[in-house]
Structures are given as structure tokens and as C-alpha cells.
Amino acid sequence: MKRRKIQMMLPVFAGLTLLSACGQNDEAGPVSDSAGVELANGLTVKEQIEARQAQLKKMGKAFKAISDQLKASNPDLAQIQAAAAVVPIEAADMVDWFPEGTGPDSGVETEALPVIWEDKADFNDKVKAMQDAAAKLETVAQGGDVTAVAAAFQNTGGTCKACHDKYRLDD
């Protein structure tokens, strides 16, 4: 029985490792003249990219909290539930975090690759898949079954990875 549990948990730990890196880059880079250009939403390019990075870091922090609890010998379900509730809220407007002009050509440090804007429909589909998985993760977490949470967490991590693999630099 113990061996079976370990075998079941290995994919979960792999997913957790991937998710714990989400939004972890704090490096700042050079800023070009376009950094001060105001976007339709009233933010400058630099402000939009910083806001996007802040949102991703909030989600990364929530994922890390869930990951840490799922790795614990006695997971704290209340902490998992609180963190799982954060993810869909933070991800709600994710598509809007990537307006035209906020890619690497802006001169502001970002790990967002230009292909986001070149293949916007696919990017939007991947974001939608992540949002759906995050909503399910929250629902499952509220149900209180840690094994089910681990599976939903792994699924959510897979949606993050699918996007990061194509649309994020050095992930």
C-alpha cells in the first residue's frame, strides 16, 4: 500500500515543482521609450507589465502554498482551501494582462514571448483552460478531499505548463 501511494504521488510532486516556479522571477531590465506609452486602459506599458507580473506572482504564491501543504505529512486543508480560492480570482482577467505593445519589444523586462500576440487565439484558449482548471481546483479544495485536490492541482499545473512551454521565456 505504501509503495502504491508513493507511485501515485510522484506525478503530483512533479506538477507541484513546476507550479512552485510560477511567477518567481523578480529581475528588472532595461526600459525603452515605449515603457511610458499609455495604453487604452490608462496604464503605461511599464505599469501594465509590472501589474501583470504582480498578478502572476500572487498566483505563484498561492500555488506554492498549495504545493507546500500537499507535500506536508499532514496537509492543512484550510490553507489549501484559502490558496485555491485565490487562484481563480487572480486569473479572472488574465487575457487582459497582455495588451498589444506589452511584449519584449516594449523594452521592459518580461518573460512573455512575442508569440502571445502572434497566436492570440491559442493563447486565449490556454488561458481559458487554466481559468477553468483553477475554478475546478477551488471547488475540489472546498470539498475537502486532499487526494482529489492533488489531482486537480496537477491538472491545473498542466494548464500552466502548456502555456509556459509556448509563451514564456526560460521556463
Side-chain angles (χ1 to χ4, degrees):
M1 179 68 174
K2 206 174 210 183
R3 181 183 169 125
R4 180 173 158 82
K5 261 189 179 176
I6 290 171
Q7 287 174 331
M8 284 179 35
M9 294 306 288
L10 285 176
V12 172
F13 290 135
L16 297 174
T17 302
L18 289 170
L19 286 173
S20 67
C22 186
Q24 296 290 323
N25 189 346
D26 289 336
E27 295 177 18
V31 176
S32 77
D33 291 337
S34 67
V37 172
E38 191 170 306
L39 300 166
N41 63 9
L43 297 176
T44 65
V45 169
K46 184 176 189 290
E47 291 168 338
Q48 178 64 49
I49 291 171
E50 288 172 347
R52 173 172 73 216
Q53 291 169 342
Q55 290 297 113
L56 291 166
K57 286 176 186 171
K58 285 179 189 176
M59 286 196 322
K61 185 177 178 182
F63 279 124
K64 184 173 180 342
I66 297 168
S67 173
D68 289 349
Q69 287 306 311
L70 290 174
K71 289 177 187 175
S73 59
N74 189 19
D76 183 335
L77 189 57
Q79 285 187 29
I80 291 172
Q81 290 170 331
V86 167
V87 179
I89 293 168
E90 296 301 331
D93 299 319
M94 188 182 285
V95 169
D96 298 332
W97 300 350
F98 296 86
E100 195 70 41
T102 63
D105 58 341
S106 69
V108 178
E109 181 71 26
T110 179
E111 292 185 2
L113 294 173
V115 72
I116 289 172
W117 296 272
E118 295 163 7
D119 195 358
K120 194 70 167 167
D122 182 63
F123 176 76
N124 291 349
D125 288 346
K126 284 183 174 32
V127 168
K128 176 76 168 106
M130 184 274 177
Q131 291 168 326
D132 291 347
K136 184 172 181 173
L137 172 62
E138 178 186 17
T139 299
V140 170
Q142 298 312 316
D145 180 345
V146 174
T147 303
V149 170
F153 185 68
Q154 184 177 9
N155 183 55
T156 306
T159 65
C160 293
K161 183 178 179 346
C163 199
H164 286 197
D165 284 349
K166 185 171 181 180
Y167 297 112
R168 184 176 179 199
L169 180 67
D170 293 330
D171 197 42

